[in-house]
Amino acid sequence: MSETRKIAAILVADVVGYSRLAAADEDRTLARLRGLRSDLIDPAIAAHRGRIVKRTGDGALVEFRSVVDAVRCAIEVQNGLVERNAGLPPDRRIDFRIGVHLGDVVEEADGDLMGDGVNIAARLEGIALPGAICLSEDAYRQVKGRLDLAVRDLRPKELKNIAEPMRVFSLQVGLAAPAKPTEPSATERPSAPRLSMVVLPFANIGGDPEQDHFVDGVTESLTTDLSRIRGSFVIGRNTAFTYKGKHVDLKQIGRDLNVRYVLEGSVQRGGNRMRVNVQLIDAEAGSHLWAERFDKPLGDIFDMQDEIVARLASTLNTELVAAEARRAQEAPNPDSMDLYFQGLAWFNKGMSRDNLVQARSFFDRHCPPTLAISTRSFDRRAWTCSRASYPLRPILWRPSRLPKRS
């Protein structure tokens, strides 16, 4: 006899206390069960593309194309039973237990199913409460984002004749899921830190597999170099690479990771040249702050990678300071660091007298000169300010060092 192995969604259902119901009134119980099959159970199975493998007296073994179909069918059946049992005394109600599992099964030539997938579904049905649906972890994973019912995590359970404990989830039909917390408003959500960013995995344009290592290397090295920028907060490589190859909403990434900036790019090889495109995006607004393209002749791959990353990191250092300065200009109550970034942005514009005078005005407000030079007092703030402005002080605080106006 031929057989076929496959992965299937299996539903097993059984009447709770059928022997007791039949002993009390067998004819009425059988009539009600036949009515439920014809009016509720079989139409629900057909509507959700299920196949009745076999009846098991008061229950059934059903195969579905997907776990979603199996669970939707189970919910429809359990809800229908709640309606039909309304007003009946407890000793006349027909309740079902249902188990659903996604697993490996063996299909015989006559269509019968056997194997662990069937056995696990049957064991799940056996531990379900009356009116509930028990799902294996494999099944629950397929539907957890689609459920509007309360779910109980029953944790790993020992199932009869199943070698390893299995994590089980119970759906409480008739009990709505707890309300999801509302998304905090922009004013309630904690603001992203200054100089916070994520470097998304660069795209390999052309899809040459031999180029993947180079492209990933650029991403990793750039993440490392940007994390060395003083005061920066850069999302780690492992988190960033979860977005590789995915079409993502950059504003959503900013909210999920709580960062101000997203850096994305691509690498393309053409003939004997390598082209790198890079974009810096404001994650809150979704707008482009800066974009650049680098073209390099092909050479030693590591030298190319180092040169490209060094150029990018140096340019981005300046661009990120400029972006923080623009934010600071819009701040209703700028703090010390807002003033620092505005001063640094003016300094980065060039060594003209006007630029340096503007930079000095912001640095004086960020850290007054009298405080900056009072390091002998062991005042921590004075020491911090002195270190922050030390490389610039010989030029910024001594007018004789300023370039003359032309």
Side-chain angles (χ1 to χ4, degrees), residues 31-45 55 76-77 80-81 83-84:
R32 288 200 62 213
L33 185 56
R34 293 190 187 102
L36 288 172
R37 284 175 175 169
S38 62
D39 298 339
L40 172 64
I41 299 171
D42 290 358
I45 293 171
R55 308 271 188 192
E76 184 176 330
V77 169
L81 287 169
E83 296 176 2
R84 285 161 174 76

Side-chain angles (χ1 to χ4, degrees), residues 85-313:
N85 284 329
L88 291 177
D91 60 346
R92 291 182 53 192
R93 294 175 184 171
I94 293 182
D95 292 309
F96 273 82
R97 293 189 182 96
I98 298 178
V100 178
H101 176 58
L102 175 68
D104 185 70
V105 298
V106 176
E107 183 175 9
E108 302 286 348
D110 60 0
D112 195 9
L113 296 180
M114 302 177 67
D116 280 347
V118 174
N119 295 337
I120 292 172
R123 299 309 179 198
L124 292 171
E125 177 271 315
I127 65 172
L129 294 174
I133 305 163
C134 273
L135 308 181
S136 66
E137 185 174 12
D138 289 334
Y140 178 67
R141 191 179 297 116
Q142 305 297 317
V143 296
K144 64 180 180 180
R146 306 168 182 258
L147 297 172
D148 295 323
L149 301 177
V151 179
R152 288 179 56 209
D153 184 351
L154 302 183
R155 303 190 180 278
K157 290 280 189 181
E158 296 277 355
L159 302 178
K160 185 178 179 181
N161 295 331
I162 303 300
E164 298 291 334
M166 178 165 291
R167 193 173 182 187
V168 179
F169 296 84
S170 177
L171 306 188
Q172 306 301 300
V173 177
L175 184 60
K180 296 181 179 178
T182 57
E183 182 75 12
S185 65
T187 56
E188 296 172 338
R189 188 183 299 117
S191 59
R194 292 181 175 90
L195 291 180
S196 56
M197 72 197 87
V198 59
V199 181
L200 293 181
F202 278 34
N204 179 7
I205 304 298
D208 182 359
E210 294 183 0
Q211 195 172 297
D212 277 343
H213 294 299
F214 175 81
V215 176
D216 289 348
V218 169
T219 306
E220 293 183 36
S221 297
L222 193 54
T223 300
T224 301
D225 282 18
L226 291 178
S227 66
R228 293 174 180 153
I229 295 176
R230 183 175 181 178
S232 67
F233 172 75
V234 183
I235 297 296
R237 170 202 182 280
N238 290 340
T239 299
F241 268 75
T242 61
Y243 296 99
K244 183 175 181 178
K246 297 179 181 178
H247 296 287
V248 289
D249 181 347
L250 299 183
K251 294 173 70 174
Q252 185 62 47
I253 288 179
R255 289 190 292 268
D256 291 345
L257 301 179
N258 197 32
V259 294
R260 286 187 173 184
Y261 308 105
V262 176
L263 186 73
E264 63 174 2
S266 63
V267 178
Q268 183 176 14
R269 179 175 177 175
N272 61 347
R273 299 191 68 81
M274 187 77 75
R275 172 171 293 177
V276 179
N277 291 287
V278 187
Q279 301 175 86
L280 181 66
I281 293 113
D282 182 326
E284 292 181 3
S287 56
H288 286 71
L289 300 174
W290 169 81
E292 188 60 270
R293 183 175 68 197
F294 300 90
D295 283 305
K296 287 287 298 176
L298 287 175
D300 181 271
I301 190 167
F302 293 111
D303 289 343
M304 286 178 58
Q305 180 176 306
D306 290 345
E307 182 178 348
I308 290 171
V309 169
R311 290 175 61 188
L312 283 173

Side-chain angles (χ1 to χ4, degrees), residues 304-381:
M304 286 178 58
Q305 180 176 306
D306 290 345
E307 182 178 348
I308 290 171
V309 169
R311 290 175 61 188
L312 283 173
S314 176
T315 306
L316 280 166
N317 193 343
T318 302
E319 294 298 330
L320 287 165
V321 168
E324 290 293 342
R326 287 192 293 271
R327 286 176 179 268
Q329 289 176 347
E330 301 172 1
N333 299 301
D335 61 18
S336 178
M337 289 306 298
D338 289 331
L339 298 171
Y340 173 77
F341 279 116
Q342 290 184 80
L344 196 55
W346 277 104
F347 183 81
N348 287 340
K349 288 182 180 180
M351 300 293 286
S352 72
R353 183 181 184 88
D354 289 341
N355 289 344
L356 293 176
V357 167
Q358 289 284 358
R360 175 177 175 174
S361 70
F362 282 107
F363 280 120
D364 280 351
R365 292 163 62 195
H366 157 69
C367 185
T370 55
L371 179 60
I373 62 177
S374 63
T375 55
R376 296 178 184 176
S377 66
F378 298 100
D379 182 278
R380 180 174 292 276
R381 179 167 171 246

Side-chain angles (χ1 to χ4, degrees), residues 15-55:
V15 175
V16 178
Y18 176 76
S19 298
R20 173 183 53 79
L21 292 170
D25 192 336
E26 185 176 31
D27 291 340
R28 178 175 292 179
T29 299
L30 286 173
R32 288 200 62 213
L33 185 56
R34 293 190 187 102
L36 288 172
R37 284 175 175 169
S38 62
D39 298 339
L40 172 64
I41 299 171
D42 290 358
I45 293 171
H48 295 284
R49 298 176 292 279
R51 177 178 74 91
I52 299 174
V53 178
K54 58 185 172 185
R55 308 271 188 192

